[in-house]
């Protein structure tokens, strides 16, 4: 490595507990009565993801990218499956999931934090 090329240390990622707290808050503040109404799903989905990305964005290092996904499924006694496959550095990157369930619906919110520094 040439002297003028300095490798930067990755900034510290927020704790998984802090990220989980924001995912939970996003759902808790958004669901209101907790009833499933198909006509409000877009708004519900957007409110959850936007709240989570705003809160996580405020605590993540500048070198990190954040992706938040949200899955909402009405409880109809039918099963559903979600799978993620990740290939990354577990020491530098995080994935955190919050699962909410009531008699009306299941909500799964996942945050991916990827440190972009090499």
């Amino acid at each position: 490595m040439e002297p003028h090329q300095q490798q930067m240390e990755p900034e510290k990622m927020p704790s998984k507990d802090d990220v989980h707290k924001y995912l939970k808050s996003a759902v808790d503040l958004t669901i209101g009565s907790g009833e499933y109404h198909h006509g409000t799903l877009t708004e519900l989905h957007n409110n959850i993801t936007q709240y989570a990305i705003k809160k996580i964005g405020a605590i993540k290092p500048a070198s990190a990218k954040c992706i938040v996904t949200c899955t909402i499924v009405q409880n109809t006694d039918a099963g559903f499956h979600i799978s993620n496959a990740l290939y990354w550095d577990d020491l530098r990157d995080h994935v955190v999931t919050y699962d909410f369930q009531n008699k009306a619906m299941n909500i799964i919110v996942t945050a991916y934090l990827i440190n972009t520094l090499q």
Side-chain angles (χ1 to χ4, degrees):
M1 182 181 314
E2 294 184 29
H4 67 279
Q5 290 179 330
Q6 192 173 19
Q7 187 172 14
M8 297 178 66
E9 287 294 318
E11 298 173 75
K12 187 173 186 301
M13 291 291 238
S15 74
K16 290 183 179 183
D17 287 340
D18 285 344
V19 174
H20 188 268
K21 174 181 71 174
Y22 287 133
L23 296 180
K24 181 181 184 321
S25 293
V27 173
D28 291 346
L29 292 171
T30 301
I31 61 165
S33 67
E35 296 296 321
Y36 182 93
H37 299 288
H38 183 74
T40 63
L41 283 181
T42 299
E43 180 182 358
L44 185 68
H45 183 267
N46 288 340
N47 288 345
I48 290 170
T49 55
Q50 292 304 311
Y51 179 91
I53 203 84
K54 178 180 176 184
K55 292 295 189 176
I56 296 167
I59 63 170
K60 73 169 187 57
S63 63
K65 301 294 182 192
C66 181
I67 301 164
V68 175
T69 64
C70 179
T71 301
I72 302 171
V73 178
Q74 182 179 17
N75 283 341
T76 59
D77 292 329
F80 71 98
H81 302 273
I82 296 175
S83 177
N84 297 314
L86 309 168
Y87 180 77
W88 62 15
D89 183 347
D90 286 335
L91 298 175
R92 296 176 3 148
D93 305 321
H94 292 337
V95 62
V96 181
T97 299
Y98 173 69
D99 180 20
F100 169 86
Q101 182 176 357
N102 67 14
K103 63 183 179 180
M105 66 185 126
N106 290 308
I107 301 173
I108 299 170
V109 186
T110 303
Y112 303 88
L113 284 88
I114 302 112
N115 198 322
T116 59
L117 290 180
Q118 295 296 324

